[in-house]
Amino acid sequence: MKTRELLCATALYGVLLVPLAAQAQVPVTPSETDAKAGTDTKQTDDADLNADGTSKSKDGDIVVTGSRIRRNRFDLADPITVISNTERTEAGFNTSTSLLQSTGVTNGTAQINNAYGGYVTNGGPGANTLSLRGLGTSRSLVLLNGRRLAPSGSRGTVGSVDLNSLPTAMVDRVEVLNAGASSVYGSDAIAGVVNVITRNNINGIELSGQVNVPEVGAGVEKRLAAVFGHTGDRFSINGSAEYYRRDQLSFSDRDFTQCQTDYRRSAAGGEPGSGDFIDPRTGQSKCYGIAAGTGASGVTINTLGLPNRAGTTVALAPGVPANYSGVCNRFRPNTAVTTGTLPGYECVGGGTLSTDIRDTFAPSLLSQALISPTENYNGFLNGTYELGALGDAEVYAELVASRRKSDQIGNRQLSIDYNQGSLLLPANLRGGTFLAYSATGTTTAQPGVPVAARAFTNFGTYNNYQTVDFVKFGGGIRGKLPGDWRYDFYASKAWSDSSYTSDLVLTNRLQQSLDVVASGSGFACRNPVGNCVAAPALSNNVLAGVFPQNWIDYISAPVTGTTKFRETVYNASFDGPLFTLPAGPVQAVVGFERREYSINDTPSEDSQNNNVYNFSSSTVTRGSDSVNEVFGELEVPVLRDMVIHDLTLNASGRYTDYASYGSQETYKVGGSLSPTRWLTFRGSYGTSFRAPQLFEQFLGATTGFGAASTDICNNLSATTSPVRLANCQADGIPLGFQATNSVTIQQRGGAESGLSAETSTNWGAGAVLKPKFSFGDFSFAADYFDIKVDNGISQLSSATIQSQCYDSPQFRQNAVCNFLQRSTTAPYQLTVTTGYVNISTSILRGIDYVARFSAHVGPGDLRLGAQVTQFLKRYTQTLPTDPIIDQVGLLFNPRFTGVFDVNYGVGNFNVRYGLEWTQHTDSTDYLADFGYDNTYILKTPDYWLHSLSFNYRAPKFEIGVGARNLFNKNPPFISSGAYNRVGNAPLYSGYDFVGRQFFVNVTTKF
């Protein structure tokens, strides 16, 4: 759709369809606020709010997100979105977390939520974070009442605000600035700023609750809260306490996750699924296969790996071609087999034979968490006291406290290596060589001894669980100075303490249990340590994942680590008028801020010692940093009601000095021009920066593993590209090399390599149209944004490092090759070391459109509106030699997203109908160059979510009922192989995994 056509369409939506009533990109009039409330606007918690929802100072001025200047208007050079707590409940969002991760705030970009429990994410599992414009959590600044909210979470990558720490019950509104603001707020404000503003001047007690019940009956959300407050002649105190719980939604609860398939076509244009591997046992597409790589999440189970045997000498499983004359090295138990060289087993793959027919689906896979559970406790308290001295000073304080208890159920495979000669093997299997040897750290009892057999078994489910305690206490004093100037001194301290536990298999215990001697009619550990339990002998039960409980209890244990994050802030600011021009006073702000941070993540000893089987090991992440900053801001009213209606200019600047990397200057200039009262042009240009986060500097060495197939020299042949072939052979690798060991991937922080700050430029321009009509109020805004990030902090992937080295004619003279180590003898073990470096460049451009309309219709008030974001360009170039690939329109990166709603209120009643839109995406052409032909389904259709609610609001009582995903829309399906999936659906927060859910919220006031 062309821009001109989109402008017309968006305006039409504004007049005929819907508003996100929350959108206040243009000033909200008192009449609109009255209609939105549905009752008298003199509510106790609105006493210090302006008609547009912004904060008033004692003398009636307001402070708007994105500026520290106090003003009597809402107009800014940058667009601001305001979403009230009322709109959250009407839309059916149970918490501020779900609101902030909704399309209306994120513009449809992917967010880390409770669907990512099995992935490595910043803040650890269970943390919910915010990424504005899709530029990442570390480039999006979250404030609470205009002050930084400190990061919290678990593991060594804590660096972002966990939205679970927000006090939902006390939230009055959220202000979103989608523009860079480092000159105003310091580091991280590259993509924008979210300012969560709490209620104040509460008198009495308010009890509220909300429950969201999915139609499937699982994954229920419940929240109970109490809000209280009292205001006296010279003091005020406000607070809240709330409890939130979200139950687990499992794979077994939703249809689209119960049978994950490859979802491929047999040929271009064929039916979806017609190209899948057909399970010989069912005649249907195979559920949870694993041969396809990324996006297929089955496990190899009930399978025995043995040295090659001729297919003519063993029984062949259904699905294997009759008279197969190649070799087999994967076998499945079959008691009906009594002939051949391997009675009791049938061939299910190996050699030139596909291994797709082996068993890969375990019923326990469906017990995994699709949406992981959480239990949150939140408290909030703030207060003020007027001293009557020191310039009519007011002492203020604020306390935020939360506890998150979260867990994630996953499924894992247990591969058991039996050495040559192991008594746990039948005599006829003890002498072969399945793997040349088993390196230290694998399951074998004797590292360096050849492996005769490997049992691929299903361990079943395991649990990760976290407890995260977060506390932030801050306060200060503010008052007046001569000449209408004001001062504000503030200090705060934040603590995040967490413990994280995983139920893991310990490598040393597994090794000890497999090194056995005969003992009576059974076996005993050769070198017992503690209560060593001998591993079970190979049997059909073992291959089926049925193990003696005492052995499982011995080899597995809960492994616990702890994380501590601290942040201290000192701030002083002064603001007031410098002098007065004909158009008004020139306002200024100057100030100083110091911030101190530290992180101490201590994994368990087993994790530090690489003693956790098939799980990433890690060492201590410990470090600190500090920053001193001076800042200033100036606002100049150039013209007001002189030839034109208004011309106002604004400028801000900040000097920053970090202990870690040095100093940085940022600035921003902008302004608004209103030729008439109904037309405003606005724009700004500024620079921003992001200091390296502590984990990016000091991340302890972490060891993980990539599949053997990711070794770039795997399947080396004469047809391999000449440069790669020569380089692999220079490392001693022969033709026909088949990698059998995982690629070891070691990560580390970037402090040693001189990691420095990212820098960015951010500019935008737009217009606001507010014509006057006798039949209602209409407004339309369009704002262009352009963000460029230079010197971006990135982590080279294992694949990139291997490619840059082995595909380089300079090979070992290439500096990238220093990150690779390979053993010179079989099995040519590959180790890749990667860390954080300043290498990437990111570009983002787009347009935001907002339309609103309100009018008195019939007995009530009608409000319509729309918010649409159009992305024009998005790419990240990791290395200067990388091709530029525009991501807009590809999977996970829709070109257009939008939110729309219509509200109609009569007296105390209001009905709301909402829509959330994600445009179609298509990665077919993009991935064709990477070997994904037209048999892959790599595109999604337009995706619409509908919601409906009915609300009643009286001065002392409120109730709302409604439904989200009204038509029970499932997420779209894509093929496995290129992207992470949940079942058959893309792992993307813009799609609803829960299905239709009903909600009820009730509030009563005393």
Side-chain angles (χ1 to χ4, degrees):
M1 185 181 293
K2 295 181 179 179
T3 301
R4 182 178 62 183
E5 295 169 333
L6 181 70
L7 289 169
C8 296
T10 308
L12 183 61
Y13 268 120
V15 176
L16 299 180
L17 250 183
V18 279
L20 180 65
Q23 304 309 314
Q25 299 249 18
V26 293
V28 183
T29 66
S31 62
E32 289 174 316
T33 304
D34 296 348
K36 187 162 43 178
T39 184
D40 188 89
T41 57
K42 288 290 185 179
Q43 299 177 25
T44 55
D45 54 285
D46 288 339
D48 279 354
L49 299 182
N50 295 277
D52 55 16
T54 49
S55 304
K56 284 184 181 178
S57 65
K58 289 182 182 180
D59 45 13
D61 289 341
I62 61 176
V63 178
V64 180
T65 301
S67 171
R68 295 179 183 270
I69 297 287
R70 301 173 191 266
R71 66 195 74 228
N72 57 16
R73 304 178 305 152
F74 195 73
D75 295 342
L76 279 179
D78 296 304
I80 303 289
T81 299
V82 180
I83 306 176
S84 73
N85 190 59
T86 296
E87 290 146 352
R88 174 189 65 79
T89 58
E90 287 181 344
F93 296 120
N94 201 311
T95 64
S96 297
T97 299
S98 52
L99 169 67
L100 290 174
Q101 293 185 327
S102 67
T103 302
V105 174
T106 65
N107 309 118
T109 53
Q111 307 298 311
I112 300 300
N113 55 27
N114 285 353
Y116 286 77
Y119 292 82
V120 177
T121 57
N122 288 357
N128 281 238
T129 53
L130 180 66
S131 169
L132 294 174
R133 303 291 196 198
L135 285 174
T137 59
S138 57
R139 295 170 181 160
S140 306
L141 182 61
V142 178
L143 309 175
L144 182 64
N145 292 323
R147 311 283 187 181
R148 286 173 173 265
L149 191 62
S152 60
S154 62
R155 303 186 183 272
T157 55
V158 173
S160 305
V161 170
D162 182 2
L163 302 178
N164 290 295
S165 62
L166 292 171
T168 295
M170 278 298 291
V171 173
D172 177 74
R173 68 193 183 281
V174 174
E175 296 179 358
V176 183
L177 170 70
N178 277 313
S182 287
S183 60
V184 177
Y185 296 111
S187 177
D188 305 341
I190 286 180
V193 180
V194 168
N195 190 8
V196 179
I197 300 173
T198 60
R199 302 162 60 181
N200 50 34
N201 289 346
I202 301 168
N203 279 292
I205 298 175
E206 177 182 301
L207 302 178
S208 64
Q210 180 167 331
V211 59
N212 289 48
V213 181
E215 188 174 275
V216 295
V220 175
E221 293 181 82
K222 293 171 284 190
R223 186 175 57 84
L224 297 172
V227 175
F228 53 88
H230 181 72
T231 301
D233 292 337
R234 299 176 61 181
F235 75 93
S236 70
I237 186 169
N238 307 277
S240 67
E242 62 187 304
Y243 170 79
Y244 169 77
R245 174 174 176 146
R246 183 168 196 165
D247 297 333
Q248 175 170 308
L249 184 71
S250 302
F251 279 32
S252 59
D253 295 319
R254 299 288 283 131
D255 291 341
F256 71 90
T257 51
Q258 290 191 21
C259 180
Q260 181 196 79
T261 69
D262 285 341
Y263 201 67
R264 303 237 181 103
R265 297 187 177 101
S266 57
E271 289 296 318
S274 59
D276 292 347
F277 178 81
I278 302 302
D279 192 331
R281 291 184 170 183
T282 65
Q284 304 294 322
S285 295
K286 187 179 183 68
C287 291
Y288 286 91
I290 61 173
T294 302
S297 55
V299 290
T300 300
I301 60 171
N302 200 37
T303 303
L304 182 64
L306 292 174
N308 289 337
R309 297 185 182 227
T312 56
T313 66
V314 295
L316 303 178
V320 177
N323 301 317
Y324 173 65
S325 59
V327 298
C328 293
N329 54 35
R330 300 291 192 277
F331 301 89
R332 180 169 62 201
N334 185 345
T335 57
V337 175
T338 58
T339 59
T341 62
L342 196 63
Y345 291 91
E346 59 187 8
C347 166
V348 290
T352 59
L353 185 66
S354 168
T355 57
D356 284 344
I357 60 175
R358 70 201 188 283
D359 294 338
T360 58
F361 172 70
S364 57
L365 284 169
L366 301 185
S367 298
Q368 295 180 106
L370 172 59
I371 303 294
S372 62
T374 188
E375 190 173 31
N376 301 342
Y377 303 83
N378 295 81
F380 180 85
L381 190 67
N382 69 8
T384 63
Y385 181 77
E386 296 180 5
L387 295 178
L390 300 177
D392 194 20
E394 180 181 72
V395 177
Y396 60 94
E398 182 176 270
L399 173 67
V400 182
S402 69
R403 164 168 282 194
R404 167 169 60 87
K405 299 174 69 176
S406 52
D407 65 272
Q408 305 81 35
I409 293 179
N411 192 87
R412 66 184 304 170
Q413 180 179 307
L414 178 62
S415 298
I416 307 172
D417 284 350
Y418 296 94
N419 287 136
Q420 281 185 358
S422 173
L423 298 180
L424 298 174
L425 288 173
N428 64 327
L429 300 181
R430 294 175 186 172
T433 301
F434 176 63
L435 298 177
Y437 69 85
S438 184
T440 301
T442 65
T443 64
T444 183
Q446 301 175 56
V449 178
V451 173
R454 171 173 288 179
F456 296 94
T457 74
N458 181 46
F459 185 82
T461 59
Y462 70 101
N463 206 354
N464 296 315
Y465 35 101
Q466 310 82 35
T467 298
V468 181
D469 292 320
F470 174 76
V471 176
K472 179 186 177 185
F473 178 73
I477 182 172
R478 54 195 172 206
K480 296 180 180 179
L481 295 170
D484 291 329
W485 276 70
R486 283 162 285 198
Y487 66 88
D488 190 341
F489 298 105
Y490 171 83
S492 70
K493 179 79 173 182
W495 302 261
S496 173
D497 291 272
S498 68
S499 63
Y500 53 94
T501 302
S502 297
D503 295 328
L504 302 178
V505 173
L506 303 184
T507 303
N508 64 343
R509 293 189 184 182
L510 186 57
Q511 290 175 341
Q512 290 165 13
S513 76
L514 286 164
D515 187 10
V516 301
V517 294
S519 176
S521 61
F523 306 98
C525 300
R526 183 188 305 273
N527 298 301
V529 176
N531 60 339
C532 181
V533 176
L538 178 66
S539 67
N540 289 357
N541 272 344
V542 167
L543 290 174
V546 179
F547 307 112
Q549 189 60 48
N550 63 339
W551 181 64
I552 291 296
D553 292 341
Y554 171 68
I555 66 171
S556 59
V559 174
T560 300
T562 60
T563 308
K564 300 180 183 295
F565 192 97
R566 301 290 184 265
E567 179 183 273
T568 304
V569 177
Y570 306 96
N571 179 283
S573 63
F574 305 86
D575 69 278
L578 293 176
F579 51 86
T580 300
L581 297 175
V586 175
Q587 300 283 340
V589 173
V590 294
F592 167 82
E593 183 164 292
R594 176 175 174 81
R595 299 191 300 275
E596 301 169 353
Y597 315 87
S598 66
I599 189 172
N600 186 345
D601 175 66
T602 307
S604 69
E605 290 187 10
D606 288 309
S607 182
Q608 293 184 51
N609 296 328
N610 196 20
N611 191 38
V612 286
Y613 166 65
N614 244 6
F615 202 84
S616 297
S617 66
S618 54
T619 57
V620 172
T621 297
R622 183 180 296 125
S624 61
D625 204 354
S626 62
V627 56
N628 294 311
E629 299 179 300
V630 292
F631 57 87
E633 185 178 359
L634 190 68
E635 183 162 287
V636 181
V638 180
L639 296 172
R640 185 158 300 159
D641 294 325
M642 298 174 60
V643 182
I644 62 174
H645 173 57
D646 181 78
L647 173 60
T648 301
L649 303 179
N650 182 279
S652 58
R654 179 176 290 252
Y655 174 80
T656 298
D657 186 15
Y658 270 87
S660 59
Y661 75 88
S663 60
Q664 186 81 36
E665 301 89 17
T666 56
Y667 67 89
K668 187 173 185 177
V669 294
S672 62
L673 168 66
S674 300
T676 68
R677 292 180 180 272
W678 53 266
L679 178 62
T680 298
F681 298 100
R682 59 192 178 192
S684 66
Y685 175 87
T687 60
S688 291
F689 76 100
R690 181 177 80 83
Q693 294 187 330
L694 292 179
F695 75 84
E696 292 172 326
Q697 298 182 65
F698 305 111
L699 182 68
T702 301
T703 301
F705 301 93
S709 59
T710 63
D711 187 327
I712 197 169
C713 295
N714 187 45
N715 293 324
L716 194 67
S717 70
T719 60
T720 302
S721 67
V723 173
R724 182 182 299 182
L725 176 62
N727 291 338
C728 289
Q729 290 183 321
D731 267 358
I733 297 173
L735 289 175
F737 169 65
Q738 296 284 322
T740 56
N741 278 23
S742 300
V743 175
T744 302
I745 303 173
Q746 297 178 341
Q747 301 182 68
R748 66 185 184 188
E752 296 177 0
S753 56
L755 196 64
S756 62
E758 296 180 346
T759 59
S760 73
T761 57
N762 187 317
W763 73 273
V768 181
L769 183 66
K770 298 179 290 183
K772 293 296 183 180
F773 300 112
S774 59
F775 54 84
D777 294 323
F778 171 75
S779 60
F780 176 80
D783 291 274
Y784 172 83
F785 57 87
D786 187 312
I787 303 172
K788 180 181 181 182
V789 179
D790 289 312
N791 207 36
I793 298 173
S794 185
Q795 204 173 22
L796 287 176
S797 68
S798 170
T800 299
I801 292 174
Q802 291 186 60
S803 176
Q804 290 289 314
C805 177
Y806 280 96
D807 290 337
S808 169
Q810 288 74 38
F811 192 37
R812 289 297 177 182
Q813 282 68 49
N814 187 333
V816 177
C817 292
N818 295 331
F819 296 108
L820 293 172
Q821 293 180 332
R822 187 186 288 277
S823 62
T824 57
T825 57
Y828 305 103
Q829 174 70 45
L830 177 64
T831 299
V832 181
T833 301
T834 179
Y836 292 96
V837 291
N838 296 99
I839 50 175
S840 69
T841 298
S842 297
I843 297 290
L844 177 65
R845 298 178 188 132
I847 306 174
D848 290 323
Y849 309 91
V850 176
R852 308 184 65 226
F853 175 76
S854 62
H856 191 75
V857 178
D861 294 291
L862 176 69
R863 299 183 313 281
L864 310 170
Q867 176 192 350
V868 172
T869 295
Q870 175 188 11
F871 289 103
L872 301 174
K873 182 176 286 293
R874 176 198 297 278
Y875 72 82
T876 295
Q877 189 180 25
T878 303
L879 294 169
T881 55
D882 289 346
I884 293 176
I885 299 174
D886 189 358
Q887 298 291 315
V888 174
L890 304 184
L891 283 166
F892 306 96
N893 293 278
R895 185 174 299 276
F896 287 98
T897 59
V899 288
F900 316 96
D901 64 54
V902 55
N903 284 263
Y904 186 73
V906 179
N908 293 337
F909 293 91
N910 184 75
V911 60
R912 175 191 181 273
Y913 192 91
L915 292 170
E916 299 172 33
W917 171 48
T918 301
Q919 197 197 30
H920 57 270
T921 60
D922 192 345
S923 293
T924 303
D925 293 340
Y926 163 61
L927 290 176
D929 294 336
F930 297 88
Y932 296 91
D933 58 28
N934 287 330
T935 64
Y936 289 82
I937 300 170
L938 297 170
K939 59 182 179 180
T940 63
D942 282 36
Y943 185 77
W944 294 87
L945 286 177
H946 302 249
S947 61
L948 176 67
S949 67
F950 301 90
N951 303 275
Y952 172 82
R953 291 187 179 84
K956 297 294 184 180
F957 179 77
E958 300 176 5
I959 184 170
V961 297
R964 287 191 55 77
N965 196 349
L966 190 62
F967 299 110
N968 203 25
K969 180 72 172 178
N970 277 334
F973 290 178
I974 62 170
S975 298
S976 63
Y979 295 100
N980 288 322
R981 299 188 304 167
V982 178
N984 293 308
L987 179 59
Y988 170 57
S989 61
Y991 300 138
D992 179 34
F993 298 154
V994 177
R996 183 188 292 121
Q997 57 178 302
F998 305 96
F999 62 88
V1000 178
N1001 52 72
V1002 178
T1003 301
T1004 183
K1005 303 176 182 179
F1006 303 93

